Amino acid sequence: KAGVTQTPRYLIKTRGQQVTLSCSPISGHRSVSWYQQTPGQGLQFLFEYFSETQRNKGNFPGRFSGRQFSNSRSEMNVSTLELGDSALYLCASSLGPGQDTQYFGPGTRLTVL
Amino acid sequence: QKEVEQDPGPLSVPEGAIVSLNCTYSNSAFQYFMWYRQYSRKGPELLMYTYSSGNKEDGRFTAQVDKSSKYISLFIRDSQPSDSATYLCAMSESTDKLIFGTGTRLQVFP
């Protein structure tokens, strides 16, 4: 069974731009969560989607948003990029809320110049 | 104070050693405890998953959870150079919204 896939793997943007990252969960998984990983803060929870609805949200500004499609694929968007948004963005999928734990993709490394 | 505390290391051990990795936490509502391994430039890989207190063993890996002390451990027996990675503890009240430790960097030298 294929794992979680994320595209693109690497991205370079400049301040003020916006970016969209994509995540395809493991087949049969319906929950998708997003995390930001930085050297200073470690892994921090961004948000979680299930059945196209956001179920949980972390402590990030409104510039960070996401959505989930009917096939469980998810996208996250960051608008008005700041230098501090440079990070590894990780997507994780699970069967559903309260079912099993989360399996991570390889991440998208975003660099903001 | 962070909800989950983990010594960042680095921890350097010889091949064959027993490695002990630990995390402490403050939220008594945490019920699900996980250990992930992350190689450089890769996503975290699930190693162990434990619900509530107790021990769980899988090959060379043993996870322990002591909810009364709010303390979890991961033991690696007969450590190998291929175990060199960053080990992240994670926990949650449900299986959603994982709270991670900062990770411990482990190096196993031949």
Side-chain angles (χ1 to χ4, degrees):
Chain A
K1 186 184 281 191
V4 178
T5 57
Q6 292 187 246
T7 56
R9 293 292 312 279
Y10 302 92
L11 208 48
I12 299 175
K13 292 285 188 179
T14 56
R15 280 180 298 174
Q17 287 187 309
Q18 76 166 17
V19 67
T20 299
L21 312 181
S22 182
C23 170
S24 292
I26 292 171
S27 177
H29 284 195
R30 297 172 62 201
S31 278
V32 173
S33 297
W34 289 89
Y35 294 81
Q36 181 195 65
Q37 186 175 32
T38 59
Q41 298 296 320
L43 264 152
Q44 293 184 286
F45 173 79
L46 280 157
F47 28 65
E48 181 212 356
Y49 287 87
F50 174 74
S51 291
E52 302 177 65
T53 302
Q54 188 180 91
R55 289 188 66 247
N56 280 303
K57 191 177 190 307
N59 296 325
F60 279 82
R63 300 185 297 106
F64 292 82
S65 63
R67 59 177 177 167
Q68 186 181 34
F69 302 96
S70 58
N71 61 358
S72 296
R73 192 177 69 84
S74 177
E75 288 181 348
M76 69 162 281
N77 184 277
V78 188
S79 62
T80 320
L81 284 166
E82 300 176 359
L83 295 179
D85 297 333
S86 294
L88 181 67
Y89 289 88
L90 291 157
C91 167
S93 75
S94 66
L95 287 169
Q99 303 178 50
D100 199 11
T101 189
Q102 299 178 28
Y103 298 87
F104 284 82
T108 294
R109 185 162 296 279
L110 171 65
T111 302
V112 182
L113 302 176
Chain B
Q1 184 189 2
K2 290 189 174 183
E3 275 191 288
V4 179
E5 299 278 0
Q6 183 176 10
D7 187 333
L11 183 61
S12 186
V13 301
E15 183 175 355
I18 296 175
V19 175
S20 172
L21 304 166
N22 312 293
C23 288
T24 59
Y25 62 95
S26 57
N27 186 347
S28 57
F30 286 150
Q31 297 188 83
Y32 296 87
F33 304 91
M34 286 134 278
W35 286 95
Y36 286 86
R37 176 175 63 194
Q38 187 174 26
Y39 291 111
S40 180
R41 300 196 170 277
K42 302 283 188 182
E45 169 195 9
L46 179 67
L47 278 178
M48 302 289 283
Y49 169 43
T50 309
Y51 170 71
S52 195
S53 283
N55 295 356
K56 188 172 184 178
E57 187 173 321
D58 184 2
R60 297 185 295 112
F61 299 91
T62 299
Q64 290 185 348
V65 175
D66 182 348
K67 290 189 72 179
S68 62
S69 301
K70 297 191 181 71
Y71 187 88
I72 71 170
S73 300
L74 177 71
F75 297 95
I76 307 174
R77 290 182 298 282
D78 188 26
S79 55
Q80 303 295 310
S82 58
D83 294 328
S84 298
T86 296
Y87 289 79
L88 299 150
C89 64
M91 45 200 81
S92 66
E93 297 180 29
S94 62
T95 53
D96 318 318
K97 194 178 179 180
L98 299 180
I99 307 299
F100 281 85
T102 52
T104 299
R105 191 155 61 91
L106 171 68
Q107 184 170 6
V108 181
F109 56 90

